[in-house]
Short mmCIF file of all heavy atoms in Angstrom, two decimals:
data_model
loop_
_atom_site.label_atom_id
_atom_site.label_comp_id
_atom_site.label_asym_id
_atom_site.label_seq_id
_atom_site.Cartn_x
_atom_site.Cartn_y
_atom_site.Cartn_z
N CYS A 1163 -3.74 -18.57 8.68
CA CYS A 1163 -3.69 -18.43 10.14
C CYS A 1163 -2.48 -17.56 10.52
O CYS A 1163 -1.57 -17.36 9.73
CB CYS A 1163 -3.62 -19.80 10.79
SG CYS A 1163 -2.01 -20.59 10.68
N PRO A 1164 -2.48 -17.01 11.71
CA PRO A 1164 -1.36 -16.13 12.10
C PRO A 1164 -0.06 -16.94 12.34
O PRO A 1164 1.01 -16.36 12.43
CB PRO A 1164 -1.85 -15.48 13.40
CG PRO A 1164 -2.88 -16.41 13.94
CD PRO A 1164 -3.52 -17.07 12.76
N SER A 1165 -0.19 -18.23 12.46
CA SER A 1165 0.90 -19.18 12.76
C SER A 1165 1.31 -19.14 14.23
O SER A 1165 1.11 -18.13 14.91
CB SER A 1165 2.14 -18.97 11.86
OG SER A 1165 2.92 -17.91 12.33
N CYS A 1166 1.83 -20.27 14.70
CA CYS A 1166 2.32 -20.39 16.07
C CYS A 1166 3.27 -21.59 16.12
O CYS A 1166 3.63 -22.12 15.08
CB CYS A 1166 1.15 -20.55 17.05
SG CYS A 1166 0.38 -22.18 16.96
N ALA A 1167 3.64 -22.00 17.32
CA ALA A 1167 4.63 -23.08 17.44
C ALA A 1167 4.17 -24.40 16.81
O ALA A 1167 4.97 -25.28 16.54
CB ALA A 1167 4.95 -23.31 18.92
N ARG A 1168 2.87 -24.52 16.56
CA ARG A 1168 2.38 -25.78 15.96
C ARG A 1168 2.56 -25.84 14.44
O ARG A 1168 2.30 -26.87 13.84
CB ARG A 1168 0.88 -25.93 16.24
CG ARG A 1168 0.54 -26.29 17.65
CD ARG A 1168 -0.99 -26.43 17.75
NE ARG A 1168 -1.39 -26.44 19.14
CZ ARG A 1168 -1.40 -27.53 19.90
NH1 ARG A 1168 -1.04 -28.69 19.39
NH2 ARG A 1168 -1.74 -27.46 21.16
N GLN A 1169 2.92 -24.72 13.81
CA GLN A 1169 2.92 -24.70 12.34
C GLN A 1169 3.85 -25.76 11.75
O GLN A 1169 4.97 -25.97 12.22
CB GLN A 1169 3.27 -23.32 11.81
CG GLN A 1169 4.68 -22.87 12.11
CD GLN A 1169 4.96 -21.46 11.57
OE1 GLN A 1169 4.15 -20.88 10.86
NE2 GLN A 1169 6.11 -20.92 11.91
N GLY A 1170 3.37 -26.40 10.67
CA GLY A 1170 4.15 -27.45 10.01
C GLY A 1170 5.03 -26.88 8.90
O GLY A 1170 5.80 -27.61 8.27
N PHE A 1171 4.89 -25.59 8.60
CA PHE A 1171 5.72 -24.91 7.59
C PHE A 1171 5.69 -23.42 7.92
O PHE A 1171 4.92 -22.99 8.79
CB PHE A 1171 5.20 -25.18 6.17
CG PHE A 1171 3.81 -24.64 5.95
CD1 PHE A 1171 3.61 -23.45 5.25
CD2 PHE A 1171 2.68 -25.30 6.45
CE1 PHE A 1171 2.34 -22.94 5.07
CE2 PHE A 1171 1.41 -24.80 6.26
CZ PHE A 1171 1.23 -23.61 5.56
N ASP A 1172 6.48 -22.62 7.22
CA ASP A 1172 6.55 -21.18 7.53
C ASP A 1172 5.34 -20.47 6.87
O ASP A 1172 5.39 -20.10 5.69
CB ASP A 1172 7.88 -20.60 7.03
CG ASP A 1172 8.10 -19.18 7.52
OD1 ASP A 1172 7.10 -18.46 7.71
OD2 ASP A 1172 9.27 -18.80 7.72
N VAL A 1173 4.29 -20.30 7.65
CA VAL A 1173 3.04 -19.75 7.10
C VAL A 1173 3.25 -18.33 6.58
O VAL A 1173 2.81 -17.99 5.47
CB VAL A 1173 1.92 -19.76 8.18
CG1 VAL A 1173 0.67 -19.05 7.67
CG2 VAL A 1173 1.58 -21.19 8.60
N ILE A 1174 3.93 -17.50 7.36
CA ILE A 1174 4.04 -16.08 6.98
C ILE A 1174 4.79 -15.93 5.66
O ILE A 1174 4.32 -15.26 4.73
CB ILE A 1174 4.72 -15.27 8.12
CG1 ILE A 1174 3.78 -15.24 9.34
CG2 ILE A 1174 5.04 -13.84 7.67
CD1 ILE A 1174 4.36 -14.58 10.58
N THR A 1176 5.24 -18.14 3.36
CA THR A 1176 4.48 -18.79 2.28
C THR A 1176 3.37 -17.88 1.78
O THR A 1176 3.16 -17.73 0.57
CB THR A 1176 3.86 -20.12 2.81
OG1 THR A 1176 4.92 -20.94 3.28
CG2 THR A 1176 3.09 -20.84 1.74
N ILE A 1195 -4.50 -21.28 3.64
CA ILE A 1195 -3.11 -21.68 3.93
C ILE A 1195 -3.00 -21.70 5.46
O ILE A 1195 -2.89 -20.67 6.11
CB ILE A 1195 -2.13 -20.66 3.32
CG1 ILE A 1195 -2.29 -20.58 1.80
CG2 ILE A 1195 -0.68 -21.01 3.69
CD1 ILE A 1195 -1.92 -21.85 1.05
N ILE A 1196 -3.05 -22.90 6.03
CA ILE A 1196 -3.18 -23.03 7.48
C ILE A 1196 -2.04 -23.90 8.02
O ILE A 1196 -1.74 -24.96 7.47
CB ILE A 1196 -4.56 -23.65 7.85
CG1 ILE A 1196 -5.71 -22.88 7.18
CG2 ILE A 1196 -4.73 -23.71 9.37
CD1 ILE A 1196 -5.97 -21.49 7.68
N GLY A 1197 -1.46 -23.43 9.12
CA GLY A 1197 -0.23 -24.05 9.63
C GLY A 1197 -0.35 -25.47 10.13
O GLY A 1197 0.61 -26.24 10.07
N CYS A 1198 -1.53 -25.89 10.65
CA CYS A 1198 -1.63 -27.24 11.20
C CYS A 1198 -3.08 -27.73 11.20
O CYS A 1198 -3.99 -27.00 10.80
CB CYS A 1198 -1.06 -27.27 12.63
SG CYS A 1198 -2.21 -26.61 13.85
N VAL A 1199 -3.29 -28.92 11.70
CA VAL A 1199 -4.61 -29.55 11.63
C VAL A 1199 -5.63 -28.99 12.63
O VAL A 1199 -6.80 -29.35 12.57
CB VAL A 1199 -4.53 -31.08 11.83
CG1 VAL A 1199 -3.84 -31.74 10.65
CG2 VAL A 1199 -3.84 -31.42 13.15
N VAL A 1200 -5.18 -28.06 13.53
CA VAL A 1200 -6.15 -27.49 14.47
C VAL A 1200 -7.29 -26.82 13.69
O VAL A 1200 -8.47 -27.06 13.94
CB VAL A 1200 -5.48 -26.47 15.42
CG1 VAL A 1200 -6.52 -25.70 16.22
CG2 VAL A 1200 -4.53 -27.18 16.38
N ASN A 1201 -6.90 -25.98 12.71
CA ASN A 1201 -7.93 -25.28 11.92
C ASN A 1201 -7.89 -25.59 10.43
O ASN A 1201 -8.78 -25.16 9.69
CB ASN A 1201 -7.80 -23.76 12.10
CG ASN A 1201 -8.24 -23.32 13.48
OD1 ASN A 1201 -9.19 -23.86 14.04
ND2 ASN A 1201 -7.53 -22.38 14.06
N GLY A 1202 -6.84 -26.26 9.98
CA GLY A 1202 -6.65 -26.49 8.55
C GLY A 1202 -7.81 -27.18 7.85
O GLY A 1202 -8.40 -26.64 6.92
N PHE A 1213 -4.28 -25.74 1.82
CA PHE A 1213 -3.09 -26.49 2.24
C PHE A 1213 -3.01 -26.44 3.75
O PHE A 1213 -3.14 -25.36 4.35
CB PHE A 1213 -1.82 -25.90 1.62
CG PHE A 1213 -0.58 -26.69 1.95
CD1 PHE A 1213 -0.25 -27.84 1.24
CD2 PHE A 1213 0.26 -26.32 3.01
CE1 PHE A 1213 0.88 -28.59 1.55
CE2 PHE A 1213 1.39 -27.06 3.32
CZ PHE A 1213 1.70 -28.20 2.59
N THR A 1214 -2.82 -27.60 4.36
CA THR A 1214 -2.71 -27.66 5.81
C THR A 1214 -1.39 -28.33 6.17
O THR A 1214 -1.08 -29.42 5.64
CB THR A 1214 -3.88 -28.48 6.39
OG1 THR A 1214 -5.09 -27.80 6.12
CG2 THR A 1214 -3.74 -28.64 7.90
N GLY A 1215 -0.61 -27.66 7.03
CA GLY A 1215 0.67 -28.22 7.43
C GLY A 1215 0.51 -29.53 8.20
O GLY A 1215 -0.44 -29.70 8.96
N GLY A 1216 1.47 -30.44 7.96
CA GLY A 1216 1.46 -31.71 8.69
C GLY A 1216 2.84 -31.94 9.29
O GLY A 1216 3.55 -30.99 9.61
N GLY A 1217 3.23 -33.20 9.40
CA GLY A 1217 4.55 -33.51 9.98
C GLY A 1217 5.53 -33.87 8.88
O GLY A 1217 5.18 -33.94 7.70
N ALA A 1218 6.77 -34.05 9.30
CA ALA A 1218 7.84 -34.57 8.43
C ALA A 1218 7.98 -33.82 7.11
O ALA A 1218 8.17 -34.42 6.04
CB ALA A 1218 7.58 -36.07 8.14
N GLY A 1219 7.84 -32.47 7.17
CA GLY A 1219 8.14 -31.64 5.99
C GLY A 1219 7.14 -31.70 4.87
O GLY A 1219 7.44 -31.35 3.73
N SER A 1220 5.92 -32.15 5.16
CA SER A 1220 4.90 -32.11 4.10
C SER A 1220 3.53 -31.82 4.70
O SER A 1220 3.35 -31.83 5.92
CB SER A 1220 4.88 -33.44 3.32
OG SER A 1220 4.38 -34.45 4.15
N GLY A 1221 2.57 -31.54 3.82
CA GLY A 1221 1.22 -31.23 4.29
C GLY A 1221 0.18 -31.75 3.32
O GLY A 1221 0.51 -32.41 2.33
N MET A 1222 -1.07 -31.45 3.60
CA MET A 1222 -2.16 -31.98 2.79
C MET A 1222 -2.75 -30.89 1.89
O MET A 1222 -3.02 -29.79 2.35
CB MET A 1222 -3.25 -32.53 3.74
CG MET A 1222 -4.45 -33.14 3.06
SD MET A 1222 -4.04 -34.55 2.01
CE MET A 1222 -3.76 -35.81 3.25
N MET A 1233 1.77 -33.09 -0.20
CA MET A 1233 2.77 -32.34 -0.97
C MET A 1233 3.87 -31.89 -0.02
O MET A 1233 3.60 -31.49 1.13
CB MET A 1233 2.08 -31.13 -1.61
CG MET A 1233 2.95 -30.22 -2.42
SD MET A 1233 3.92 -31.03 -3.72
CE MET A 1233 2.67 -31.91 -4.66
N SER A 1234 5.12 -31.93 -0.49
CA SER A 1234 6.24 -31.52 0.38
C SER A 1234 6.22 -30.01 0.54
O SER A 1234 5.84 -29.27 -0.38
CB SER A 1234 7.57 -31.98 -0.23
OG SER A 1234 7.86 -31.16 -1.34
N ASN A 1235 6.63 -29.53 1.70
CA ASN A 1235 6.69 -28.09 1.95
C ASN A 1235 7.56 -27.38 0.91
O ASN A 1235 7.25 -26.27 0.48
CB ASN A 1235 7.26 -27.81 3.35
CG ASN A 1235 6.30 -28.27 4.43
OD1 ASN A 1235 5.15 -28.60 4.16
ND2 ASN A 1235 6.78 -28.30 5.67
N ALA A 1236 8.65 -28.04 0.49
CA ALA A 1236 9.59 -27.41 -0.44
C ALA A 1236 8.94 -27.09 -1.78
O ALA A 1236 9.23 -26.08 -2.41
CB ALA A 1236 10.80 -28.33 -0.64
N GLN A 1237 8.03 -27.95 -2.24
CA GLN A 1237 7.41 -27.76 -3.56
C GLN A 1237 6.03 -27.12 -3.48
O GLN A 1237 5.37 -26.91 -4.50
CB GLN A 1237 7.29 -29.11 -4.28
CG GLN A 1237 8.62 -29.69 -4.66
CD GLN A 1237 8.46 -31.13 -5.13
OE1 GLN A 1237 7.89 -31.96 -4.42
NE2 GLN A 1237 8.94 -31.40 -6.33
N MET A 1238 5.61 -26.83 -2.27
CA MET A 1238 4.23 -26.45 -2.04
C MET A 1238 3.82 -25.15 -2.74
O MET A 1238 2.75 -25.08 -3.34
CB MET A 1238 4.03 -26.37 -0.53
CG MET A 1238 2.67 -26.07 -0.11
SD MET A 1238 2.53 -24.33 0.03
CE MET A 1238 2.33 -24.14 1.74
#
Side-chain angles (χ1 to χ4, degrees):
C1163 75
S1165 80
C1166 73
R1168 286 181 195 275
Q1169 66 181 353
F1171 63 101
D1172 190 329
V1173 174
I1174 293 175
T1176 302
I1195 300 295
I1196 308 291
C1198 78
V1199 292
V1200 170
N1201 288 323
F1213 184 81
T1214 296
S1220 69
M1222 181 61 75
M1233 179 54 54
S1234 73
N1235 292 349
Q1237 292 170 306
M1238 183 269 248

